[in-house]
Amino acid sequence: MKKTPVRVPWKNFCAVILSAVILFAFNYSAGAAPSPVEVAVTGIEGEKLDNVRAALDLPSGIVRNGDVNMPWLERFEKQVPEKVKRALEPFGHYDVRTKTRIEKTTDGYVVIVDVSPGRPTLVADVSLAIEGPGAKENRMNRAVDSFPLKKGDVFDHTAYEAGKTQLREAALARGYLDADFSVSRVEVSLRDYSARIELLLDTGPFYAFGDWKILGGEAYSDTFLRRHVAFRKGEPFSYNRIYRTQLNFINSERFREAVVEPDKETAENFMVPITIRLEPSLPKRLRFGIGYGTDTGPRASAHYRDLNISGEGRELSADLVVSERLQAFVADFRLPGRRIESFTGFQFRLQNEDISSYTSRFASLEANRTWDFGRGRLGTAYLRLQREDSEVGEQDVSATLVLPGVRYSRQRYDNLIRPRRGYNYALELRGTDAFLGSDVGVAQVLANGRYLLPLPWNLMATFRAQGAASYEKDPLSDMPASLRFFTGGDNSVRGFSYNSLGPTDSTGTVVGGKNLIVGSVELEKAFPKNFSAAVFYDTGNAFNNLSDLELYRSVGIGVRYYTPVGAIRLDVAHPIDYPDSDYRIHFSLGFQL
């Protein structure tokens, strides 16, 4: 039956939102009983208020077993003005006036602190200079120009220290390992509330990477090992490149330990020798797993991987997944390229998928080449030969595809296990035609992305989007299921079953569409012990023409538990446009293919 959007059922929407609010509030309501002594600060706000509150944290001896030690409390009150003064000096306030008093309340006592921060101290002059061999370096001059304090600014000690660190790190990054300030002076005058800054950075001599050697990597060729080293002899010495080299070896999964040791003390002509010590891990691995996903049902998997065929770091992997709705076997062979993430790959895949919207069986053989552009950027070109038999609604489609394509992706996260800030996106262009030997002609553009934004109070917002568009020379009815678009499921519009949304045929059966649009907004609250709770809103659909586009919407709440191999997710979602629909549970755990 064709689904038609109706008026928003606000009672269901409110029920879900109220549940999420109760869940978020639990973190605060389940805490310890309130203290009989509280501190109330007035007259300031923002970071200044936060710093003062931290400085006025009550000593543990004031309250014991629920009783207030009044002599200690009175002694604390006398210390308050000096504590406030010190807390506000980093913000340029040196003439702070504080009034305090203790008042009795029904639950105990409150120390009232009325703060008058006074006139702020302004920067009257900034004198920055660099001496030594690095004085003419463009990067050093840019660091001077970007010093965070200028004439007329309020003197902020935190910004001052950050500026000094920025100058020193710029020197270290260019190989000036002995860089230090020969002059570092701030003169503060309370007569005219002014501050004068004088900094002189002596870069010292220039250091470069010298000879380097690797110990413990005998099982791999020198060519393969060199691709993990993030520096070359003669380049400016950089601790960041030392760290990146260590991560490259560890992230390759071929070494359980990697230590990169610079020896500055034995440097000749300021060329620092490097020793890399490796402890290889077992290259051959076999892993079995079980899991469950709402989209696939119960599943079992087997994974085999050999990370070092013939000593060149060539990789062979094979995956077998058997689930209620999906059965697949994938074999992948990779030849490493010159850069850390670049490779040439060959993949063979057999897959059978049987869901309510369609049945698809195909075999494919693919050759691909991936280039590493650095900083999480990858580009891939591929050519896929595929034979597919599909049953979509009342349509039986058999097609041979010769499908070339290109893909570009980028990923940057602060933490891959439990990220709180970062993004990823991917763009793909693929197409085929009869002149390539295919049974159909089509060109498609696909895009997807996710953005994570940290918020106060341990909150995080996640924005997710997905889109696709097709240009077809042949009717949609001639396209196999893998070239059509559907929505619904764990990673799409929750509240609906997997790939259950899209254009329908004359019988009301979903047959997929030429285009796709999906969006999601999720607010997540972090709890201790790797737990978090979430509230979300999803929308999207597959469609053939914009005039026929009907966006399906859902809201829900969820719980996440983060493990070293990824998050276990439990979501409860409800379609906004169908008040009589049941709540749908989306649950996933374990390894996925």
Side-chain angles (χ1 to χ4, degrees):
M1 179 179 297
K2 181 177 176 61
K3 299 179 176 67
T4 303
V6 296
R7 187 169 56 88
V8 175
W10 288 108
K11 62 179 182 179
N12 292 330
F13 177 82
C14 293
V16 173
I17 297 300
L18 180 60
S19 300
V21 171
I22 293 174
L23 187 60
F24 283 173
F26 178 79
N27 185 50
Y28 300 99
S29 62
S35 170
V37 177
E38 294 186 2
V39 178
V41 181
T42 63
I44 53 176
E45 58 185 14
E47 293 184 359
K48 299 175 186 178
L49 177 60
D50 294 339
N51 220 38
V52 168
R53 283 175 173 170
L56 297 182
D57 191 28
L58 290 172
S60 57
I62 289 181
V63 179
R64 291 184 178 179
N65 300 322
D67 296 327
V68 179
N69 187 324
M70 285 305 299
W72 281 40
L73 181 59
E74 291 169 355
R75 179 184 177 188
F76 171 77
E77 182 195 11
K78 294 178 181 178
Q79 297 173 344
V80 165
E82 183 62 24
K83 290 178 179 288
V84 172
K85 181 175 182 288
R86 292 179 180 177
L88 291 179
E89 283 181 354
F91 299 96
H93 293 283
Y94 293 90
D95 189 22
V96 181
R97 299 178 183 179
T98 304
K99 295 180 180 179
T100 65
R101 65 183 186 276
I102 299 175
E103 291 188 358
K104 186 75 171 66
T105 65
T106 55
D107 298 322
Y109 297 89
V110 58
V111 181
I112 299 177
V113 182
D114 187 11
V115 179
S116 177
R119 179 179 169 184
T121 300
L122 303 182
V123 177
D125 183 60
V126 180
S127 175
L128 302 180
I130 298 175
E131 64 178 0
K136 296 181 180 180
E137 289 266 6
N138 290 333
R139 184 167 181 174
M140 298 303 304
N141 292 324
R142 288 196 298 268
V144 169
D145 293 338
S146 61
F147 192 78
L149 291 178
K150 308 294 183 184
K151 184 177 180 179
D153 292 345
V154 173
F155 177 70
D156 186 319
H157 192 80
T158 302
Y160 169 72
E161 291 296 335
K164 289 177 61 178
T165 300
Q166 176 181 301
L167 287 169
R168 188 182 293 110
E169 288 181 348
L172 290 175
R174 293 299 301 161
Y176 299 100
L177 305 185
D178 297 332
D180 201 0
F181 290 97
S182 57
V183 176
S184 177
R185 183 184 302 119
V186 177
E187 295 181 354
V188 176
S189 171
L190 295 183
R191 184 171 51 190
D192 57 357
Y193 295 93
S194 66
R196 287 168 173 78
I197 300 171
E198 184 180 2
L199 292 173
L200 177 60
L201 179 67
D202 185 352
T203 65
F206 170 80
Y207 288 84
F209 285 106
D211 293 323
W212 52 274
K213 59 183 177 180
I214 297 178
L215 304 178
E218 292 79 8
Y220 296 88
S221 70
D222 290 341
T223 301
F224 177 77
L225 293 174
R226 278 198 299 269
R227 71 198 293 264
H228 297 78
V229 180
F231 55 83
R232 296 293 179 265
K233 183 178 179 179
E235 292 180 340
F237 184 92
S238 166
Y239 284 106
N240 181 53
R241 290 179 180 265
I242 294 287
Y243 177 66
R244 281 171 52 193
T245 298
Q246 184 172 342
L247 280 184
N248 287 344
F249 280 108
I250 294 296
N251 291 341
S252 73
E253 302 183 55
R254 294 169 170 85
F255 306 95
R256 65 167 56 95
E257 186 176 23
V259 179
V260 184
E261 301 174 338
D263 191 358
K264 178 188 169 188
E265 302 304 320
T266 62
E268 295 183 2
N269 299 320
F270 304 107
M271 302 284 286
V272 181
I274 309 294
T275 300
I276 303 172
R277 304 182 187 276
L278 303 176
E279 184 178 342
S281 58
L282 294 176
K284 295 181 175 63
R285 302 159 192 188
L286 179 62
R287 183 180 68 224
F288 297 95
I290 59 174
Y292 180 86
T294 315
D295 292 346
T296 61
R299 64 173 176 263
S301 64
H303 173 76
Y304 172 78
R305 196 176 184 192
D306 187 341
L307 294 171
N308 189 26
I309 296 177
S310 72
E312 297 292 337
R314 295 167 181 166
E315 178 182 341
L316 173 66
S317 64
D319 291 272
L320 176 66
V321 172
V322 178
S323 69
E324 180 181 357
R325 305 181 186 97
L326 175 69
Q327 302 83 43
F329 171 77
V330 180
D332 203 339
F333 181 67
R334 294 185 177 184
L335 302 170
R338 296 184 62 181
R339 293 180 63 91
I340 186 67
E341 293 290 344
S342 62
F343 63 88
T344 300
F346 302 92
Q347 184 185 91
F348 173 71
R349 186 181 190 102
L350 287 173
Q351 179 172 304
N352 177 67
E353 188 175 18
D354 189 352
I355 63 174
S356 59
S357 299
Y358 59 83
T359 298
S360 172
R361 298 172 297 277
F362 71 79
S364 68
L365 182 64
E366 177 180 303
N368 54 69
R369 180 73 171 95
T370 295
W371 292 270
D372 177 7
F373 299 117
R375 301 180 64 85
R377 298 172 297 178
L378 298 176
T380 300
Y382 63 84
L383 177 64
R384 183 183 307 150
L385 175 63
Q386 181 169 311
R387 176 65 186 181
E388 181 173 359
D389 296 318
S390 302
E391 297 176 12
V392 188
E394 296 181 340
Q395 303 165 2
D396 293 335
V397 180
S398 296
T400 298
L401 304 175
V402 181
L403 189 68
V406 292
R407 183 187 308 113
Y408 177 82
S409 64
R410 186 170 188 183
Q411 172 178 291
R412 295 198 72 178
Y413 287 108
D414 59 348
N415 187 305
L416 294 180
I417 295 177
R418 188 174 185 177
R420 282 190 50 80
R421 179 190 298 274
Y423 63 87
N424 70 62
Y425 64 85
L427 303 172
E428 183 175 351
L429 174 64
R430 67 187 185 186
T432 188
D433 198 81
F435 76 86
L436 293 175
S438 296
D439 294 332
V440 296
V442 63
Q444 295 181 325
V445 178
L446 301 89
N448 65 79
R450 186 173 70 152
Y451 180 73
L452 274 59
L453 177 66
L455 300 172
W457 305 300
N458 284 329
L459 293 172
M460 179 181 69
T462 300
F463 305 92
R464 176 170 52 87
Q466 183 180 5
S470 301
Y471 171 75
E472 297 173 310
K473 294 180 64 177
D474 298 297
L476 182 67
S477 58
D478 293 341
M479 299 293 165
S482 64
L483 294 181
R484 306 187 191 194
F485 298 108
F486 302 81
T487 54
D490 297 349
N491 297 308
S492 181
V493 183
R494 287 162 287 190
F496 298 90
S497 60
Y498 174 63
N499 279 2
S500 63
L501 301 178
T504 59
D505 61 14
S506 58
T507 67
T509 303
V510 175
V511 295
K514 298 189 295 184
N515 309 303
L516 173 73
I517 184 169
V518 174
S520 174
V521 179
E522 183 170 302
L523 186 64
E524 186 173 333
K525 164 69 176 177
F527 290 91
K529 298 183 179 179
N530 295 324
F531 279 97
S532 67
V535 56
F536 57 84
Y537 169 85
D538 294 346
T539 184
N541 199 7
F543 60 98
N544 291 323
N545 301 292
L546 283 174
S547 58
D548 301 327
L549 175 59
E550 297 175 350
L551 292 178
Y552 295 100
R553 302 171 294 169
S554 67
V555 292
I557 58 174
V559 177
R560 287 89 174 89
Y561 178 69
Y562 290 89
T563 74
V565 295
I568 299 174
R569 299 174 179 271
L570 175 64
D571 292 327
V572 180
H574 188 270
I576 291 179
D577 303 302
Y578 299 96
D580 298 328
S581 297
D582 294 331
Y583 288 89
R584 186 171 184 85
I585 296 176
H586 296 269
F587 177 71
S588 62
L589 61 85
F591 295 99
Q592 296 190 28
L593 183 65

